[in-house]
Amino acid sequence: MGVANRLDLTLRLVQGSGRVSVSELSQRLGVSEMTVRRDLDALERQGLVRRVHGAAVATRAREEEAGFTARESWQAATKDRLGAAVAALVEPGSRVLLDAGTTTVHVAEHLAERAPLTVAVLSLQAAAQLADRPGIDLLVVGGRSRPGERSLVGPLALRTLEALAFDVFVMSIGGVHAEHGWSEFSLDDAAVKQAGLAQSARTLAVADATKLGVRAFSQVAPLGAVEVFVTDHAAADPATHPGGPHTLDALRDAGVRTVLA
């Protein structure tokens, strides 16, 4: 297991249980306690966990309260795997609407390998990834750039989306809940996602396992509104993420194909 992947999993184990001992992490990850302590020190420097005697506790920093820049390095290895898995589901020649978010920037990086594509983006970061890439016809959806996120929202973004039609919408999400469906922390982001769903023939949702079992402020759609959900393997492990397996079962019951990357 690479360092980045090990840090990802360490963070999830701590967040999933609230408190985990160094010895338990050592057994779970198959590495020495010295390596675990070094990893926990790195996560503590980022403000993601807090070290206590012989263990670590979750700070429970809410990802939605941190701006894009603060979040973009979190679980980067996992998000890159998700980005590659999502891009592989997009057929060359498609008209794609790409949502905003830290994970969809990784999707953008891999979409260039699926050219030719027409890609409309809802974030300035994704636009930067796709600009001037061979075979990519890039459209930047108009709208207001949300401070800290650089996601494009508001009435202008909604009017632009209503005038277009897409083969596939790649949707990032703040939360996915077995009973409450897909949801977002921002009303503006939720409204844009609802427009993307309405204007697209199919929707691929993507999120890392920390989003499973989460009910955010504004509901976007019921579970069945999405065709495929791409997440990581930790979602199926109750020790890593307690809300994951139940949510995955609910998605499958709703007819959503789940892909674990």
Side-chain angles (χ1 to χ4, degrees):
M1 183 186 300
V3 175
N5 288 339
R6 192 176 66 241
L7 288 172
D8 287 348
L9 184 52
T10 300
L11 177 60
R12 289 157 193 258
L13 287 166
V14 176
Q15 289 180 330
S17 61
R19 178 189 175 106
V20 185
S21 70
V22 170
S23 61
E24 183 179 350
L25 286 170
S26 174
Q27 293 174 2
R28 177 75 177 170
L29 297 167
V31 297
S32 69
E33 292 190 5
M34 181 179 296
T35 297
V36 170
R37 292 189 183 94
R38 187 165 57 244
D39 289 347
L40 291 175
D41 286 341
L43 292 171
E44 187 174 46
R45 286 193 295 272
Q46 297 178 61
L48 301 177
V49 304
R50 181 166 57 86
R51 293 289 306 279
V52 296
H53 182 67
V57 298
T59 61
R60 303 217 180 271
R62 292 172 65 95
E63 193 168 345
E64 72 276 11
E65 293 173 357
F68 182 97
T69 301
R71 300 196 324 267
E72 63 180 333
S73 63
W74 294 8
Q75 303 176 5
T78 297
K79 292 177 180 180
D80 192 62
R81 291 200 309 273
L82 297 180
V86 171
L89 297 172
V90 176
E91 293 295 328
S94 298
R95 297 166 299 174
V96 181
L97 175 62
L98 183 60
D99 206 355
T102 55
T103 302
T104 50
V105 169
H106 291 276
V107 177
E109 293 172 0
H110 291 282
L111 277 179
E113 302 163 11
R114 306 294 289 171
L117 293 171
T118 297
V119 185
V121 296
L122 286 163
S123 83
L124 300 182
Q125 291 92 347
Q129 287 293 334
L130 290 169
D132 302 322
R133 300 295 290 268
I136 300 295
D137 186 9
L138 176 64
L139 305 177
V140 180
V141 174
R144 176 174 59 86
S145 176
R146 193 154 72 85
E149 293 297 325
R150 299 184 183 177
S151 58
L152 299 168
V153 297
L156 181 57
L158 295 177
R159 286 199 298 271
T160 302
L161 291 178
E162 288 166 359
L164 300 172
F166 303 97
D167 298 309
V168 59
F169 175 30
V170 177
M171 181 178 77
S172 65
I173 200 68
V176 53
H177 191 279
E179 285 76 40
H180 302 288
W182 310 96
S183 59
E184 263 302 338
F185 295 98
S186 160
L187 287 171
D188 282 340
D189 281 341
V192 169
K193 292 176 199 300
Q194 288 167 344
L197 283 162
Q199 299 303 114
S200 302
R202 59 194 292 253
T203 296
L204 312 178
V206 58
D208 66 74
T210 63
K211 310 302 192 304
L212 276 73
V214 173
R215 183 186 184 186
F217 175 62
S218 179
Q219 186 182 31
V220 173
L223 292 179
V226 166
E227 180 176 311
V228 182
F229 176 51
V230 179
T231 188
D232 56 279
H233 285 282
D237 184 352
T240 303
H241 193 73
H246 176 58
T247 308
L248 289 175
D249 287 342
L251 284 161
R252 292 168 184 138
D253 289 344
V256 180
R257 176 187 166 198
T258 58
V259 176
L260 302 183

